[in-house]
């Protein structure tokens, strides 16, 4: 039951448990339709730019993996939160001067996309920072304004991350161009993963996560379909 006396300053109470269940049901259905195990696809709840009032009920309903795209915003929101099993994933670009702060907060960094960053990560881990789980971001649409290594450079970049910097890469991540059907981009990411021995693929958002699951996504990043529309400005 929803309290009738909720703070009038807040929007109508959201049925977070229901929204979470519906997204998880859709993930499971898409996995089954693709002949895959539902348990092989995990949900990253993208909490960027969401008020805590929207996030907390999702946390209470049992969700433990959250995605954020800015280090400082994420630190303001999450550094005092410590529910058992919490996993934070950085899904936005990482500046080299924020690497240490990112390693203090995030379990997974999905946006490894350049050699300077690989070098910085390796350096901080050597100096005692917690080693993150890493995904290499691939700019499958080769969009100039978008981060990520070009598809043709991905193999060489992965080899350098592993060989030169001793980084264990867990998987690949992509954000397809907004104006194109996402399927070919997901297929390309899966192909690059397969030839590099990487089966973990972070792909698919609110509008296309079912397509991504069909193409082999092992984690989908869902924000607005779970929490509702984001604030226009980041609000920790
Ligand atoms: C914001 C964001 C998402 C979530 O987008 P929705 O469309 O709200 O699901 C997923 N991935 C990345 C990299 C994002 O920046």
């Amino acid at each position: 039951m929803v309290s009738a006396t909720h703070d009038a300053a807040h929007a109508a109470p959201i049925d977070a448990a229901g929204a979470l269940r519906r997204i998880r049901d859709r993930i499971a259905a898409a996995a089954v339709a693709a002949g895959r195990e539902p348990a092989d696809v995990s949900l990253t709840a993208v909490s960027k730019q969401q008020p805590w009032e929207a996030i907390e009920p999702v946390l209470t309903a049992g969700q433990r993996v959250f995605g954020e795209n800015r280090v400082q915003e994420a630190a303001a929101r999450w550094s005092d939160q410590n529910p058992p099993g919490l996993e934070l994933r950085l899904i936005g670009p990482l500046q080299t001067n924020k690497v240490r702060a990112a390693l203090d907060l995030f379990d997974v960094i999905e946006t490894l996309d350049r050699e300077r960053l690989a070098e910085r990560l390796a350096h901080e881990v050597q100096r005692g920072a917690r080693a993150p789980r890493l995904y290499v971001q691939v700019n499958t649409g080769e969009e100039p304004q978008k981060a990520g290594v070009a598809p043709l450079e991905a193999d060489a970049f992965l080899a350098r991350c592993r060989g030169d910097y001793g980084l264990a890469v867990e998987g690949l991540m992509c954000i397809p161009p907004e104006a194109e059907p996402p399927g070919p981009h997901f297929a390309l990411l899966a192909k690059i993963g397969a030839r590099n021995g990487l089966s973990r693929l972070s792909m698919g958002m609110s509008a296309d996560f079912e397509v991504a699951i069909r193409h082999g996504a092992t984690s989908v990043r869902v924000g607005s379909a779970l929490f509702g529309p984001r604030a226009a400005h980041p609000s920790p």
Side-chain angles (χ1 to χ4, degrees):
M1 270 309 262
V2 162
S3 158
T5 57
H6 62 275
D7 187 345
H10 297 145
I14 309 154
D15 175 16
L20 181 60
R21 195 175 52 242
R22 280 190 293 279
I23 297 291
R24 284 183 175 163
D25 285 351
R26 285 174 59 189
I27 290 172
V32 168
R36 305 180 54 201
E37 289 291 330
D40 292 344
V41 185
S42 78
L43 169 64
T44 300
V46 178
S47 48
K48 69 180 187 195
Q49 292 166 245
Q50 295 287 352
W52 187 248
E53 292 76 29
I55 299 165
E56 188 175 34
V58 172
L59 193 60
T60 304
Q63 175 65 23
R64 284 295 177 273
V65 183
F66 291 86
E68 290 280 351
N69 69 338
R70 300 173 66 195
V71 177
Q72 273 156 323
E73 182 192 333
R77 183 175 288 131
W78 291 105
S79 28
D80 293 336
Q81 303 293 332
N82 205 8
L86 179 68
E87 178 180 305
L88 294 179
R89 294 179 160 237
L90 180 64
I91 60 172
L94 177 55
Q95 293 168 259
T96 43
N97 65 356
K98 299 217 175 88
V99 164
R100 187 62 202 225
L103 291 179
D104 287 343
L105 186 68
F106 290 98
D107 303 285
V108 184
I109 291 172
E110 299 202 1
T111 50
L112 173 52
D113 62 351
R114 61 199 190 279
E115 196 144 350
R116 279 252 313 139
L117 181 55
E119 186 193 333
R120 211 59 227 165
L121 286 163
H123 178 75
E124 291 295 348
V125 170
Q126 267 156 27
R127 287 180 27 171
R130 185 171 58 136
R133 290 159 51 203
L134 292 171
Y135 284 62
V136 166
Q137 182 176 357
V138 181
N139 188 358
T140 57
E142 302 188 63
E143 296 171 280
Q145 82 286 6
K146 201 167 268 175
V149 297
L152 284 174
E153 286 160 18
D155 297 4
F157 181 69
L158 281 161
R160 280 200 300 279
C161 287
R162 291 159 159 172
D164 297 359
Y165 300 106
L167 296 171
V169 176
E170 177 174 306
L172 302 176
M173 178 270 216
C174 76
I175 310 168
E178 267 175 47
E180 291 179 29
H185 295 275
F186 297 149
L188 175 58
L189 196 73
K191 196 169 126 192
I192 296 169
R195 70 172 181 243
N196 285 283
L198 295 169
S199 59
R200 298 288 182 140
L201 303 172
S202 169
M203 54 190 197
M205 320 198 323
S206 289
D208 55 20
F209 68 87
E210 283 139 325
V211 182
I213 290 169
R214 192 150 70 233
H215 287 282
T218 56
S219 57
V220 294
R221 309 179 304 265
V222 179
S224 42
L226 178 60
F227 295 108
R230 280 181 283 279
H233 298 287
S235 62

